[in-house]
Amino acid sequence: GQQVMQIPQYQHVQEGEDFTTYCNSSTTLSNIQWYKQRPGGHPVFLIQLVKSGEVKKQKRLTFQFGEAKKNSSLHITATQTTDVGTYFCAVRGSTLGRLYFGRGTQLTVWP
Amino acid sequence: NAGVTQTPKFQVLKTGQSMTLQCAQDMNHEYMSWYRQDPGMGLRLIHYSVGAGITDQGEVPNGYNVSRSTTEDFPLRLLSAAPSQTSVYFCASSQHLAGTASGNTIYFGEGSWLTVV
């Protein structure tokens, strides 16, 4: 299946610090999606990136799609305790209908 | 506005038993799918459906069956439960295939925690 590597696996930050998670693929991606999952909860769709070099913002969250469409990042500015959770990227496979998830980055925010 | 509803939320099975996880959506979405989530593994696709009467296998389909007799419902059947199927199961739906349409949002159910002993 489609391989997408997500790093880091864990990130612990103090409230107010920034946080970034990365997704990397060895092949060119048609698009990438980002999800957030709170502890004990279900994944919640955040955004989809489609265009090369695309940058989208949602309040303190900045999403970027690489120029070569092989990598993507999610950056959170000035983390808050409400940002705690696991952030996943997901990419569409070559077979229509299939979606492949990265293993996620688990974010812990200390007050 | 229920969205995606999964039942049961928790279930304990004995090895060899069969059961069905129910999933229903009220958004008239064509596309539905089942994932399992294991620690450190992310979400892995089990089966998916692009419309009523049409299903296909995902990454980890062995030991599971699905059917899509209506647009609203997409049940997942465990044929003969094994301890390796202990996991959290998520059903998801969307109006379009994932990644094919701008603005397409994928909605997940709240999950079903399954333990096979």
Side-chain angles (χ1 to χ4, degrees), chain A residues 2 4 7 16 21 27 46 53 57 65-66 68 70 72 77 88 90-91 98 101 110:
Chain A
Q2 179 75 42
V4 57
I7 56 170
T21 175
T27 60
L46 294 176
K57 293 191 176 184
F65 204 6
K70 289 186 175 182
S72 181
T77 303
F88 293 96
V91 300
R98 294 193 179 191
F101 282 79
W110 294 330

Side-chain angles (χ1 to χ4, degrees), chain A residues 1-2 9 30-31 33 35 37 40-45 48 50 56 88 92 95-104, chain B residues 35 37 40-43 45 48 50 56-59 90 97-106 108-111 113:
Chain A
Q2 179 75 42
Q9 189 174 359
S30 57
N31 58 76
Q33 300 164 11
Y35 296 79
Q37 184 177 25
H42 60 281
V44 174
F45 176 82
Q48 175 174 282
V50 178
K56 287 190 175 180
F88 293 96
R92 182 162 64 93
T95 302
L96 213 57
R98 294 193 179 191
L99 195 64
Y100 295 96
F101 282 79
R103 294 193 175 190
Chain B
Y35 294 86
Q37 184 174 34
M41 294 295 293
L43 291 101
L45 182 65
Y48 64 100
V50 300
D56 205 348
Q57 296 181 348
E59 294 178 80
F90 290 99
L97 277 173
T100 60
S102 177
N104 186 42
T105 299
I106 297 170
F108 281 82
E110 295 191 346
W113 274 254

Side-chain angles (χ1 to χ4, degrees), chain A residues 7-77:
Chain A
I7 56 170
Q9 189 174 359
Y10 302 97
Q11 187 76 53
H12 308 277
V13 300
Q14 193 147 20
E15 191 172 19
E17 293 182 336
D18 292 354
F19 159 78
T20 305
T21 175
Y22 302 89
C23 272
N24 299 300
S25 171
S26 58
T27 60
T28 302
L29 303 170
S30 57
N31 58 76
I32 192 163
Q33 300 164 11
W34 286 94
Y35 296 79
K36 176 184 178 181
Q37 184 177 25
R38 295 182 185 273
H42 60 281
V44 174
F45 176 82
L46 294 176
I47 207 161
Q48 175 174 282
L49 304 175
V50 178
K51 299 177 183 176
S52 168
E54 189 170 15
V55 178
K56 287 190 175 180
K57 293 191 176 184
Q58 291 179 352
K59 297 183 179 178
R60 293 178 294 104
L61 277 61
T62 302
F63 305 85
Q64 189 162 3
F65 204 6
E67 292 289 343
K69 298 181 75 173
K70 289 186 175 182
N71 57 74
S72 181
S73 64
L74 158 59
H75 179 82
I76 302 178
T77 303

Side-chain angles (χ1 to χ4, degrees), chain B residues 15-85:
Chain B
T15 297
Q17 286 185 318
S18 61
M19 78 157 297
T20 299
L21 298 177
Q22 301 292 344
C23 177
Q25 52 91 9
D26 62 358
M27 297 173 282
N28 201 32
H29 285 169
E30 290 293 327
Y31 305 101
M32 298 185 73
S33 50
W34 275 102
Y35 294 86
R36 61 177 289 173
Q37 184 174 34
D38 303 295
M41 294 295 293
L43 291 101
R44 292 183 291 170
L45 182 65
I46 305 172
H47 285 286
Y48 64 100
S49 170
V50 300
I54 306 170
T55 64
D56 205 348
Q57 296 181 348
E59 294 178 80
V60 288
N62 293 340
Y64 307 94
N65 271 356
V66 291
S67 60
R68 186 92 181 272
S69 56
T70 66
T71 299
E72 294 77 21
D73 301 300
F74 191 42
L76 178 72
R77 297 183 187 85
L78 279 72
L79 308 172
S80 177
S84 60
Q85 293 179 303

